[in-house]
Short mmCIF file of all heavy atoms in Angstrom, two decimals:
data_model
loop_
_atom_site.label_atom_id
_atom_site.label_comp_id
_atom_site.label_asym_id
_atom_site.label_seq_id
_atom_site.Cartn_x
_atom_site.Cartn_y
_atom_site.Cartn_z
N LEU A 117 50.53 -62.64 -140.33
CA LEU A 117 51.35 -62.82 -141.44
C LEU A 117 50.68 -63.19 -142.81
O LEU A 117 51.07 -62.71 -143.79
CB LEU A 117 52.35 -63.84 -141.14
CG LEU A 117 53.59 -63.50 -140.37
CD1 LEU A 117 54.39 -64.91 -139.96
CD2 LEU A 117 54.47 -62.68 -141.21
N GLY A 122 46.20 -68.37 -143.17
CA GLY A 122 47.12 -69.57 -143.00
C GLY A 122 47.11 -70.21 -141.71
O GLY A 122 46.87 -71.40 -141.62
N THR A 128 54.47 -67.60 -142.88
CA THR A 128 55.30 -67.31 -144.09
C THR A 128 55.73 -65.92 -144.05
O THR A 128 54.95 -65.04 -143.69
CB THR A 128 54.46 -67.68 -145.38
OG1 THR A 128 54.00 -68.95 -145.24
CG2 THR A 128 55.25 -67.38 -146.60
N ALA A 130 57.49 -64.10 -146.84
CA ALA A 130 58.09 -64.25 -148.19
C ALA A 130 58.97 -63.09 -148.47
O ALA A 130 59.99 -63.30 -149.21
CB ALA A 130 57.07 -64.40 -149.27
N TYR A 138 54.91 -75.79 -143.89
CA TYR A 138 54.09 -76.69 -144.65
C TYR A 138 53.61 -77.82 -143.70
O TYR A 138 54.43 -78.37 -142.90
CB TYR A 138 54.85 -77.29 -145.82
CG TYR A 138 55.14 -76.13 -146.85
CD1 TYR A 138 56.24 -75.35 -146.59
CD2 TYR A 138 54.14 -75.86 -147.78
CE1 TYR A 138 56.49 -74.20 -147.55
CE2 TYR A 138 54.43 -74.77 -148.71
CZ TYR A 138 55.62 -73.94 -148.61
OH TYR A 138 55.85 -72.92 -149.40
N ALA A 143 56.75 -82.42 -147.28
CA ALA A 143 56.39 -81.81 -148.61
C ALA A 143 57.35 -80.68 -149.02
O ALA A 143 57.48 -80.52 -150.31
CB ALA A 143 54.92 -81.31 -148.56
N PRO A 146 61.49 -81.18 -151.38
CA PRO A 146 61.72 -80.94 -152.71
C PRO A 146 61.57 -79.41 -153.11
O PRO A 146 62.26 -78.98 -153.98
CB PRO A 146 60.67 -81.82 -153.44
CG PRO A 146 59.64 -82.12 -152.49
CD PRO A 146 60.28 -82.16 -151.21
N MET A 147 60.76 -78.78 -152.44
CA MET A 147 60.55 -77.28 -152.66
C MET A 147 61.95 -76.54 -152.46
O MET A 147 62.41 -75.75 -153.26
CB MET A 147 59.57 -76.65 -151.83
CG MET A 147 58.15 -77.18 -152.08
SD MET A 147 57.07 -76.33 -150.90
CE MET A 147 55.91 -77.56 -150.66
N GLY A 150 64.25 -77.27 -155.16
CA GLY A 150 63.89 -76.53 -156.28
C GLY A 150 64.31 -75.06 -156.21
O GLY A 150 64.82 -74.52 -157.16
N SER A 154 66.89 -73.21 -158.61
CA SER A 154 66.64 -71.97 -159.14
C SER A 154 67.93 -70.97 -158.93
O SER A 154 68.26 -70.12 -159.77
CB SER A 154 65.27 -71.45 -158.63
OG SER A 154 65.21 -70.05 -158.64
N LEU A 157 70.56 -71.70 -161.28
CA LEU A 157 70.38 -71.34 -162.68
C LEU A 157 70.42 -69.71 -162.84
O LEU A 157 70.77 -69.19 -163.76
CB LEU A 157 68.95 -71.78 -163.13
CG LEU A 157 68.86 -73.38 -163.24
CD1 LEU A 157 67.59 -73.74 -163.93
CD2 LEU A 157 69.97 -73.96 -164.12
N ARG A 158 70.02 -69.08 -161.67
CA ARG A 158 70.06 -67.65 -161.74
C ARG A 158 71.39 -67.13 -161.37
O ARG A 158 71.69 -65.89 -161.46
CB ARG A 158 68.96 -67.11 -160.83
CG ARG A 158 67.56 -67.24 -161.38
CD ARG A 158 66.42 -66.60 -160.55
NE ARG A 158 66.29 -67.39 -159.30
CZ ARG A 158 66.72 -67.08 -158.11
NH1 ARG A 158 67.29 -65.92 -158.00
NH2 ARG A 158 66.49 -67.83 -157.10
N THR A 177 59.32 -88.27 -149.68
CA THR A 177 59.90 -86.99 -150.21
C THR A 177 61.25 -86.87 -149.69
O THR A 177 62.18 -86.35 -150.39
CB THR A 177 59.14 -85.81 -149.84
OG1 THR A 177 58.73 -85.84 -148.50
CG2 THR A 177 57.88 -85.65 -150.70
N GLU A 180 63.46 -89.10 -151.86
CA GLU A 180 63.52 -88.61 -153.26
C GLU A 180 64.26 -87.28 -153.38
O GLU A 180 65.11 -87.05 -154.32
CB GLU A 180 62.06 -88.30 -153.85
CG GLU A 180 61.20 -89.55 -154.09
CD GLU A 180 59.96 -89.28 -154.80
OE1 GLU A 180 59.83 -88.25 -155.40
OE2 GLU A 180 59.15 -90.13 -154.89
N TRP A 188 72.11 -83.61 -158.41
CA TRP A 188 72.27 -82.26 -159.03
C TRP A 188 73.20 -81.34 -158.30
O TRP A 188 73.43 -80.21 -158.60
CB TRP A 188 70.89 -81.58 -159.11
CG TRP A 188 69.92 -82.24 -160.08
CD1 TRP A 188 70.13 -83.41 -160.80
CD2 TRP A 188 68.63 -81.79 -160.46
NE1 TRP A 188 69.02 -83.74 -161.56
CE2 TRP A 188 68.10 -82.67 -161.47
CE3 TRP A 188 67.87 -80.62 -160.18
CZ2 TRP A 188 66.84 -82.48 -162.02
CZ3 TRP A 188 66.66 -80.46 -160.84
CH2 TRP A 188 66.08 -81.44 -161.79
N ALA A 338 38.14 -63.84 -148.09
CA ALA A 338 37.98 -65.32 -148.27
C ALA A 338 37.95 -65.65 -149.66
O ALA A 338 38.29 -66.86 -149.92
CB ALA A 338 36.54 -65.72 -147.54
N ASP A 341 43.02 -64.04 -153.73
CA ASP A 341 44.33 -64.68 -153.75
C ASP A 341 44.47 -66.14 -153.97
O ASP A 341 45.28 -66.88 -153.49
CB ASP A 341 45.09 -64.26 -152.52
CG ASP A 341 45.78 -62.84 -152.69
OD1 ASP A 341 46.09 -62.63 -153.87
OD2 ASP A 341 45.78 -62.11 -151.71
N TRP A 343 44.46 -66.84 -157.24
CA TRP A 343 45.27 -66.74 -158.43
C TRP A 343 46.19 -65.49 -158.23
O TRP A 343 45.91 -64.64 -157.44
CB TRP A 343 44.33 -66.46 -159.66
CG TRP A 343 43.27 -67.36 -159.87
CD1 TRP A 343 41.89 -67.23 -159.88
CD2 TRP A 343 43.41 -68.84 -160.03
NE1 TRP A 343 41.23 -68.41 -160.11
CE2 TRP A 343 42.09 -69.36 -160.25
CE3 TRP A 343 44.49 -69.71 -160.18
CZ2 TRP A 343 41.92 -70.81 -160.36
CZ3 TRP A 343 44.25 -71.05 -160.32
CH2 TRP A 343 42.99 -71.57 -160.46
N ALA A 344 47.10 -65.44 -159.19
CA ALA A 344 48.14 -64.37 -159.13
C ALA A 344 47.55 -62.98 -159.23
O ALA A 344 48.12 -62.02 -158.64
CB ALA A 344 49.35 -64.71 -160.07
N TRP A 350 36.92 -68.99 -161.35
CA TRP A 350 37.29 -70.14 -162.05
C TRP A 350 36.44 -70.38 -163.33
O TRP A 350 36.73 -71.30 -164.07
CB TRP A 350 37.11 -71.31 -161.12
CG TRP A 350 35.77 -71.56 -160.73
CD1 TRP A 350 35.10 -70.93 -159.65
CD2 TRP A 350 34.88 -72.58 -161.17
NE1 TRP A 350 33.81 -71.39 -159.58
CE2 TRP A 350 33.65 -72.51 -160.49
CE3 TRP A 350 34.99 -73.48 -162.23
CZ2 TRP A 350 32.54 -73.29 -160.78
CZ3 TRP A 350 33.91 -74.31 -162.55
CH2 TRP A 350 32.67 -74.14 -161.79
N ARG A 351 35.48 -69.49 -163.63
CA ARG A 351 34.65 -69.74 -164.84
C ARG A 351 34.09 -68.40 -165.28
O ARG A 351 34.10 -67.33 -164.55
CB ARG A 351 33.52 -70.60 -164.42
CG ARG A 351 32.68 -70.24 -163.19
CD ARG A 351 31.32 -70.78 -163.09
NE ARG A 351 30.39 -70.21 -164.13
CZ ARG A 351 29.12 -70.03 -164.09
NH1 ARG A 351 28.45 -70.47 -162.87
NH2 ARG A 351 28.40 -69.46 -164.98
N SER A 352 33.70 -68.43 -166.54
CA SER A 352 32.93 -67.23 -167.06
C SER A 352 31.52 -67.38 -166.93
O SER A 352 31.00 -68.50 -166.61
CB SER A 352 33.34 -67.01 -168.48
OG SER A 352 32.78 -68.06 -169.24
N VAL B 70 71.22 -77.91 -168.89
CA VAL B 70 70.97 -77.10 -167.82
C VAL B 70 69.51 -76.68 -167.80
O VAL B 70 68.85 -76.73 -166.69
CB VAL B 70 71.79 -75.79 -167.79
CG1 VAL B 70 71.39 -74.85 -166.72
CG2 VAL B 70 73.35 -76.22 -167.60
N ARG B 73 66.24 -80.78 -168.06
CA ARG B 73 66.86 -81.54 -166.97
C ARG B 73 66.22 -82.93 -166.82
O ARG B 73 65.04 -82.98 -166.45
CB ARG B 73 66.68 -80.76 -165.70
CG ARG B 73 67.76 -81.14 -164.62
CD ARG B 73 68.98 -80.36 -164.87
NE ARG B 73 70.12 -81.06 -164.31
CZ ARG B 73 71.00 -80.59 -163.35
NH1 ARG B 73 70.83 -79.42 -162.85
NH2 ARG B 73 72.01 -81.37 -162.91
N SER B 78 61.00 -89.92 -159.67
CA SER B 78 60.75 -89.33 -158.40
C SER B 78 59.72 -88.23 -158.60
O SER B 78 60.04 -87.04 -158.61
CB SER B 78 62.01 -88.74 -157.72
OG SER B 78 63.07 -89.67 -157.52
N GLN B 80 57.48 -86.86 -156.79
CA GLN B 80 57.31 -85.84 -155.70
C GLN B 80 58.46 -84.93 -155.83
O GLN B 80 58.29 -83.69 -155.63
CB GLN B 80 57.28 -86.48 -154.34
CG GLN B 80 56.10 -87.43 -154.12
CD GLN B 80 56.01 -87.91 -152.67
OE1 GLN B 80 55.51 -87.22 -151.86
NE2 GLN B 80 56.65 -89.07 -152.42
N ALA B 81 59.63 -85.49 -156.10
CA ALA B 81 60.88 -84.50 -156.20
C ALA B 81 60.75 -83.62 -157.45
O ALA B 81 61.04 -82.40 -157.48
CB ALA B 81 62.17 -85.34 -156.25
N ALA B 85 60.20 -79.82 -156.70
CA ALA B 85 61.23 -78.97 -157.01
C ALA B 85 60.75 -77.98 -158.06
O ALA B 85 61.21 -76.77 -157.97
CB ALA B 85 62.46 -79.85 -157.66
N GLY B 88 59.30 -75.23 -155.93
CA GLY B 88 60.26 -74.35 -155.23
C GLY B 88 60.92 -73.36 -156.25
O GLY B 88 61.27 -72.23 -155.92
N THR B 92 60.63 -69.06 -156.81
CA THR B 92 61.86 -68.23 -156.75
C THR B 92 62.40 -67.72 -157.97
O THR B 92 63.58 -67.54 -158.23
CB THR B 92 62.94 -69.14 -155.97
OG1 THR B 92 63.20 -70.28 -156.74
CG2 THR B 92 62.64 -69.46 -154.57
N HIS B 112 51.58 -82.81 -153.72
CA HIS B 112 52.06 -81.46 -154.24
C HIS B 112 51.01 -80.92 -155.27
O HIS B 112 50.89 -79.61 -155.26
CB HIS B 112 53.44 -81.55 -154.92
CG HIS B 112 54.61 -81.90 -153.94
ND1 HIS B 112 54.94 -83.09 -153.46
CD2 HIS B 112 55.28 -80.94 -153.19
CE1 HIS B 112 55.81 -82.98 -152.60
NE2 HIS B 112 56.07 -81.70 -152.33
N GLU B 116 49.95 -78.59 -152.02
CA GLU B 116 50.97 -77.66 -151.95
C GLU B 116 50.85 -76.54 -153.05
O GLU B 116 50.59 -75.33 -152.75
CB GLU B 116 52.33 -78.35 -151.97
CG GLU B 116 52.49 -79.51 -151.25
CD GLU B 116 52.44 -79.30 -149.73
OE1 GLU B 116 52.55 -78.20 -149.25
OE2 GLU B 116 52.11 -80.22 -148.96
N ARG B 121 49.63 -70.07 -152.39
CA ARG B 121 49.35 -68.52 -152.58
C ARG B 121 48.32 -68.21 -151.60
O ARG B 121 48.41 -67.17 -150.85
CB ARG B 121 49.00 -68.24 -154.03
CG ARG B 121 48.61 -66.80 -154.09
CD ARG B 121 48.49 -66.26 -155.51
NE ARG B 121 48.13 -64.98 -155.65
CZ ARG B 121 48.91 -63.96 -155.44
NH1 ARG B 121 50.23 -64.10 -155.29
NH2 ARG B 121 48.46 -62.68 -155.49
N TYR B 122 47.17 -68.96 -151.62
CA TYR B 122 46.07 -68.59 -150.76
C TYR B 122 46.43 -68.58 -149.28
O TYR B 122 46.23 -67.68 -148.52
CB TYR B 122 44.86 -69.50 -151.05
CG TYR B 122 43.57 -69.13 -150.37
CD1 TYR B 122 42.71 -68.34 -150.98
CD2 TYR B 122 43.23 -69.73 -149.13
CE1 TYR B 122 41.52 -67.96 -150.28
CE2 TYR B 122 42.06 -69.45 -148.55
CZ TYR B 122 41.14 -68.51 -149.10
OH TYR B 122 40.01 -68.19 -148.45
N MET B 123 47.06 -69.59 -148.86
CA MET B 123 47.28 -69.84 -147.53
C MET B 123 48.36 -68.94 -146.89
O MET B 123 48.52 -68.81 -145.64
CB MET B 123 47.57 -71.37 -147.12
CG MET B 123 48.87 -71.82 -147.36
SD MET B 123 48.89 -73.67 -147.11
CE MET B 123 50.60 -73.95 -147.11
N GLN B 127 51.30 -64.11 -150.61
CA GLN B 127 52.65 -63.73 -150.61
C GLN B 127 53.52 -64.30 -151.62
O GLN B 127 54.60 -63.86 -151.99
CB GLN B 127 53.30 -64.19 -149.25
CG GLN B 127 52.75 -63.42 -147.90
CD GLN B 127 53.50 -63.78 -146.74
OE1 GLN B 127 54.72 -63.63 -146.61
NE2 GLN B 127 52.89 -64.34 -145.79
N ASP B 185 50.01 -68.47 -162.66
CA ASP B 185 49.30 -69.43 -161.89
C ASP B 185 49.67 -70.89 -162.34
O ASP B 185 50.19 -71.09 -163.47
CB ASP B 185 47.79 -69.29 -162.06
CG ASP B 185 47.32 -68.01 -161.59
OD1 ASP B 185 47.63 -67.62 -160.43
OD2 ASP B 185 46.56 -67.35 -162.32
N PRO B 259 40.33 -71.81 -166.52
CA PRO B 259 38.95 -71.25 -166.32
C PRO B 259 37.98 -72.02 -167.27
O PRO B 259 38.43 -72.33 -168.35
CB PRO B 259 39.10 -69.77 -166.70
CG PRO B 259 40.59 -69.45 -166.68
CD PRO B 259 41.35 -70.80 -166.93
N LEU B 260 36.82 -72.20 -166.83
CA LEU B 260 35.78 -72.88 -167.59
C LEU B 260 34.96 -71.79 -168.30
O LEU B 260 34.42 -70.97 -167.73
CB LEU B 260 34.99 -73.68 -166.59
CG LEU B 260 33.86 -74.53 -167.23
CD1 LEU B 260 34.44 -75.59 -168.16
CD2 LEU B 260 33.14 -75.28 -166.09
N ASP B 261 34.88 -71.94 -169.58
CA ASP B 261 34.13 -70.97 -170.50
C ASP B 261 32.70 -71.29 -170.52
O ASP B 261 32.08 -71.73 -171.51
CB ASP B 261 34.78 -70.89 -171.85
CG ASP B 261 34.30 -69.71 -172.64
OD1 ASP B 261 33.39 -68.95 -172.07
OD2 ASP B 261 34.78 -69.42 -173.72
N MET B 262 31.95 -71.05 -169.39
CA MET B 262 30.59 -71.35 -169.28
C MET B 262 29.72 -70.40 -170.11
O MET B 262 28.62 -70.69 -170.50
CB MET B 262 30.03 -71.40 -167.88
CG MET B 262 30.45 -72.74 -167.15
SD MET B 262 29.94 -74.26 -167.99
CE MET B 262 28.23 -74.12 -168.10
N ARG B 263 30.27 -69.26 -170.38
CA ARG B 263 29.54 -68.26 -171.29
C ARG B 263 29.31 -68.80 -172.55
O ARG B 263 28.19 -68.78 -173.11
CB ARG B 263 30.31 -66.91 -171.34
CG ARG B 263 29.51 -65.87 -171.98
CD ARG B 263 30.30 -64.53 -172.06
NE ARG B 263 30.56 -64.13 -170.64
CZ ARG B 263 31.59 -63.37 -170.23
NH1 ARG B 263 32.56 -63.01 -171.21
NH2 ARG B 263 31.87 -62.99 -169.05
N GLU B 298 21.58 -72.26 -164.35
CA GLU B 298 21.59 -70.82 -164.96
C GLU B 298 20.90 -70.82 -166.34
O GLU B 298 20.71 -69.74 -166.90
CB GLU B 298 22.96 -70.31 -165.03
CG GLU B 298 23.65 -70.32 -163.68
CD GLU B 298 25.19 -69.82 -163.77
OE1 GLU B 298 25.58 -69.34 -164.73
OE2 GLU B 298 25.82 -70.17 -162.71
#
Side-chain angles (χ1 to χ4, degrees):
Chain A
L117 273 174
T128 302
Y138 297 86
M147 296 175 209
S154 155
L157 294 190
R158 289 181 288 106
T177 47
E180 288 194 13
W188 291 9
D341 278 327
W343 309 121
W350 63 281
R351 53 159 287 209
S352 65
Chain B
V70 172
R73 200 88 204 236
S78 299
Q80 297 188 87
T92 57
H112 289 90
E116 313 297 338
R121 177 170 176 79
Y122 186 86
M123 76 189 194
Q127 293 185 59
D185 297 310
L260 183 62
D261 192 355
M262 283 309 300
R263 185 179 302 150
E298 301 173 18

